[in-house]
Amino acid sequence: QVQLVESGGGLVQPGGSLRLSCAASGSIFSINAMGWYRQAPGKERDLVAIITSGGYTNYADSLKGRFTISRDNAKNTVYLQMNSLKPEDTAVYYCNARGVVTTRGKYDYWGQGTQVTVSS
């Protein structure tokens, strides 16, 4: 059984920073890509950023320059550094692991989500 556990969300003032973490645990041999998505109230879940095991990254165009994704392959952990936060960044942020190779096959997994609220 694979679990993704997110941490680091919370309340922050506009212009502030937060760092999200997501650790994958279980009988994992490898993970192809890990990433972050977000869903604001009444909206669809959208891509924030993804990173492959080889370090290739892809960001939502609107977030380039403010958000940085990184990954520790040895720890099966992905991070999201969010700077210059704006109220419109308020959302539930979900961790995603794609192409997770386990003893039972290859699957995709989602975390439970962590709330990020940007407000004064």
Side-chain angles (χ1 to χ4, degrees), residues 38-46 87-94 114-118:
R38 69 184 185 182
Q39 188 168 19
K43 296 188 177 181
E44 296 183 349
R45 188 175 299 187
D46 293 325
E88 51 263 43
D89 294 318
T90 296
V92 178
Y93 284 69
Y94 295 91
T114 185
Q115 177 70 45
V116 172
T117 303
V118 185

Side-chain angles (χ1 to χ4, degrees), residues 3-103:
Q3 288 188 323
L4 302 183
V5 179
E6 299 135 332
S7 60
L11 174 65
V12 64
Q13 292 186 342
S17 298
L18 281 177
R19 188 187 192 219
L20 306 183
S21 299
C22 171
S25 63
S27 300
I28 299 170
F29 292 118
S30 64
I31 302 175
N32 181 22
M34 299 186 77
W36 293 93
Y37 291 72
R38 69 184 185 182
Q39 188 168 19
K43 296 188 177 181
E44 296 183 349
R45 188 175 299 187
D46 293 325
L47 171 71
V48 173
I50 58 171
I51 183 169
T52 68
S53 58
Y56 170 81
T57 59
N58 187 35
Y59 293 88
D61 287 341
S62 62
L63 301 178
K64 290 179 181 178
R66 293 196 298 123
F67 289 16
T68 302
I69 191 169
S70 60
R71 177 174 172 174
D72 186 331
N73 289 331
K75 296 181 179 179
N76 289 327
T77 299
V78 64
Y79 306 96
L80 184 69
Q81 179 67 42
M82 305 185 292
N83 298 327
S84 303
L85 284 162
K86 304 175 182 180
E88 51 263 43
D89 294 318
T90 296
V92 178
Y93 284 69
Y94 295 91
C95 177
N96 172 257
R98 190 180 306 173
V100 181
V101 179
T102 72
T103 56

